[in-house]
Amino acid sequence: AGPVVAGVVGARKFFYDVWGDAVNIASRVQGLAVSQSILATASVVDHPQSTDLLERYGQKPMGQSQALRGMASEVAVYEIS
């Protein structure tokens, strides 16, 4: 979760693209996932709507810090099972 910039690029063939730290973090976190796992960052897990859903379904995210390529500091990543 976070701010992004989106736009259409290209002169002859148009592409829709999205840029920003949130996109980069999401891509790096997705790369950490193994089959049958759901990973989320702290900004997603701590969101009030996410908290309500997780509590309603009895899910307890297990957090760990991960070093992600291109990020200066480690990012809290939670596995939801």
Side-chain angles (χ1 to χ4, degrees):
V4 298
V5 175
V8 177
V9 294
R12 294 188 177 182
K13 187 170 185 180
F14 299 112
F15 297 94
Y16 181 78
D17 205 355
V18 183
W19 304 272
D21 280 343
V23 175
N24 295 335
I25 291 170
S27 176
R28 304 298 190 292
V29 169
Q30 181 182 12
L32 298 173
V34 294
S35 180
Q36 304 298 317
S37 70
I38 299 172
L39 299 180
T41 59
S43 61
V44 173
V45 171
D46 294 338
H47 191 280
Q49 288 178 322
S50 297
T51 303
D52 290 345
L53 282 172
L54 291 169
E55 287 176 3
R56 185 179 315 146
Y57 291 100
Q59 301 296 314
K60 296 185 184 206
M62 302 296 292
Q64 59 182 324
S65 291
Q66 290 282 336
L68 301 178
R69 186 174 49 97
M71 302 301 298
S73 59
E74 290 191 342
V75 174
V77 177
Y78 295 84
E79 182 173 5
I80 301 169
S81 55

